Amino acid sequence: MAIGDGLASNNQRRHLYVEQQVTVGFFTDPTLCIGCKACEVACKEHNALPHDGFVFTAMSYDNTGALGASSYRHVKFVEETALAPDAPPGFLFLSDVCKHCERAGCLEACPTGAIVRTEVGGVFVQDDICNGCGYCVVSCPFGVIDRRQGPVPGAGGAHKCTFCYDRQKDGLVPACAKTCPTESIQFGPLSELRERAEARRQTLLDRGIAGVSVYDPSSVGGIHALFLTVGDGARFGLPSSPEVPTTHLRAAWSSALLTSLFAIVASALAFWGAGP
Amino acid sequence: MTSPEPQTSYHGQPVLKPPVWTWEVPAYFFVGGTSGMSGVLALGSLAGEDSLLLTRGLLWVALVGALVSPVLLILDLGRPARFLNMLRVFKWRSAMSLGVWTLIAFTSCAGTSVLLFEGYAVLVRELGVAAELVTVALSTAIALTAVFGALLATYTGVLLGASAIPVWAANRALLPLHFGVAGLGSAASLAVLLAGDSTPLLLLLAAAAAVETLLLIKNEVSGRGRVVLAPLRRGSGATRLRIATLLMGPVALAGLMIGAAELSALAFLAGSLLSRYAWLALGRESARDPRAVL
Ligand code: SF4
Ligand code: SF4
C-alpha cells in the first residue's frame, strides 16, 4: 500500500514505465482527498496552463467549475451528509481528470492523427499536429477535452491531461500524483492499481461505509484513471454508462448509404420517367 | 435535521462539452449537401432527354459548392493554417476523416466532369480525341460525382450521429436521412430557381418535401418523455427545427400543389439551411443537460 510508504511509494519513486512499456494509470480516491487542489496547481504549473478567468462559481468551494482546455485536474466538491452512520457531515472531494479511456472517443474521432496512445497507455494530444477541428470535443463521453480559446499559448488547439507524458519519459511521476499530500491520487501500473482500488473498496465496506464502488466503466473498455465513488456516481458527474461514439457508426453509415442509394435511384427514375 | 435534496448530478453542472463549432459548420452542411446532391441530379439528368444544359448547370453548382465547402471548413478550424493536417491520415473510424476524403474525391470528380463537359468540343474537334472516349470518360466522371456527392450530403449526419452528444447520437439513423433528403430537395430547388421548373425536378422536390414532412410528424409523435430527446421538445433548437421542417415539408408541398414552384423551392432552401443550424443548437442544448448522461 502506498500510503505511509514515504519515499518508497510509487508516487515518489523514479520509474522506467515508458521504456518498459508498462500500462500505467491513476487511482483517485475521494475518501482520502482533503480538497487542497494542490494537484490542480501542480498541473497548471508543470504544463504552464493559462488561467481560466477569475470566476466565482458559487458552487460549494469549487471555483474551477469543470475540466477544460486549461484545467486538466478539477477537484469536485460534493457535499456529503454523513459518510458513516456516526460520522459528522462533511465533504467528499474528487479530483477529476481525463479518464485515458481504453476505447477513447477523442482518439477515434481525431481526423489528423494528432491524438495518439503512448507507450504507457495514455491518450495524448500532439499539439504540433492538432488543427483545432473540434471533433474530439463532441466525441468525449466525459466532457474532458476542449478547444482552447485565445489569445493564450496553445490557442485554437484541443487540450486535456497529457498524463504528464513528458515527465514520464524522464522517469518522473505525473505532477498531480507527485504533489498529492494524502496520496488520494495514486500513480502506478494499471493492473496494480486495479487491485489496490478493489482492496480499498473492501476496506471501506468493512468499515461500514456503504455504497463504495470503483468507477471503471466497461462500456468504454475500462479506463486508465480509476476513481473510487461513494454513493451515486451521478453526484460526482460521472456518467453511469458512457458510450464510445464510434459504436454508432454502423447504424449511421447504414442510413447514409441507404439514403445515398435512394437519392441516386430516385433522381434517375424522376428524369427517366419524365423523359420521352 | 433537514434531509437534503438527493444529488443526481454534480451541482447541476453539464457533464459534456458543447460543440465548439460556429456558423461555418452548419453553412458547410448546407452547401455540401446541396452541391453533393446536385451531382446526383446531374447523373440522373443523363437519363432524361434534352437535358444537357441542365446537366451542365448542375455540374457547375456541384463544383462551386465543392470549392466553397473547404473554405467554410478551414474558417472554422482553431488553427486554420494547419488545414492540410487533415490529409495526414485516412481513418475509417473517424467520420470527420472520411468526410474530408469524400469532399476531396467529390471536388476532383466534379472538377473533372466540368472540364470534360466544357472541353468536349476542343477535345474532339481540335485535338482529335475519339468522341466515344470523351463521352465514356465524362459519364464515368459524372457517375463518380454522383456517388461521392451523395456520400458528401449524408456523411454529415454520420458526423453528428457518431458523437457523444446525446440528442445527436439518439438520432444517428435519422440524421443522415434527414440531411441527405434536405440536400436532395435543396439541389432540386436550386435547379428550379436557376434553370426553371421541369417535371423531374418538381417530382424530386415533392419527394424530398414528403420525406421531410414524415420526419416532422415522426419527431412530434415519437420519443416523448425521453430525456435525451428533451431538446427536440422545447427550446430554441426545437423551435428552429420545427420551422425548418415545416418549410421543407408542408410549406414546400403546399407551394407545389398551388403551382408556385419557385416559392416552394425558396421555402425548401430556407428550411434546409435553417435545419442545419437547428441541429447545432440542439447539440449545444443537449450537452448542457447532465440528466441525459448521468
Ligand atoms: S476521457 Fe475523454 S478526453 Fe480522456 S481519453 Fe477518454 S475520450 Fe479522450
Ligand atoms: S497527469 Fe499531468 S497533465 Fe494530467 S492532470 Fe496530472 S499533472 Fe495534469
Side-chain angles (χ1 to χ4, degrees), chain A residues 59 62 67 77 79 103 107 109-112 127 129-133 135 138 143 147 154-155 248 255 267 271, chain B residues 7 9-11 13 15 17 21 40 44 76 78-79 82 85 88-89 91 93-94 96 159 162 164 172-173 177:
Chain A
M59 288 186 308
D62 176 4
L67 291 173
F77 285 57
E79 264 137 276
R103 287 191 62 194
L107 189 156
C110 177
T112 62
D127 189 45
I129 307 282
C130 171
N131 66 8
C133 78
Y135 198 35
V138 291
R147 192 157 85 178
H248 304 309
S255 165
S267 132
F271 280 95
Chain B
Q7 296 160 299
S9 71
Y10 180 67
H11 301 289
Q13 288 301 102
V15 171
K17 290 277 178 286
W21 296 329
V40 171
D76 184 71
R79 294 161 166 171
R82 292 203 190 151
N85 283 5
R88 282 179 81 237
V89 290
K91 270 169 88 171
R93 300 188 66 75
S94 166
M96 172 93 73
L159 188 82
R172 59 190 175 256
L177 173 69

Side-chain angles (χ1 to χ4, degrees), chain A residues 80 82-85 204-205 207-213 229-232 235:
Chain A
E80 170 72 50
L83 213 52
L204 291 173
L205 284 181
R207 286 191 201 159
I209 297 175
V212 182
S213 46
T229 57
V230 185
D232 191 355
R235 59 189 187 148

Side-chain angles (χ1 to χ4, degrees), chain B residues 48-69:
Chain B
E49 293 241 311
D50 295 330
S51 49
L52 273 188
L53 262 183
L54 182 63
T55 310
R56 180 190 187 190
L58 287 165
L59 287 177
W60 271 106
V61 170
L63 181 60
V64 170
L67 295 175
V68 171
S69 295

Side-chain angles (χ1 to χ4, degrees), chain A residues 219-266:
Chain A
S219 54
V220 294
I223 53 180
H224 294 203
L226 313 171
F227 299 89
L228 196 87
T229 57
V230 185
D232 191 355
R235 59 189 187 148
F236 296 98
L238 295 171
S240 51
S241 171
E243 281 175 326
V244 188
T246 45
T247 51
H248 304 309
L249 279 177
R250 183 178 294 269
W253 274 116
S254 306
S255 165
L257 292 177
L258 283 175
T259 306
S260 298
L261 195 68
F262 160 77
I264 291 173
V265 171

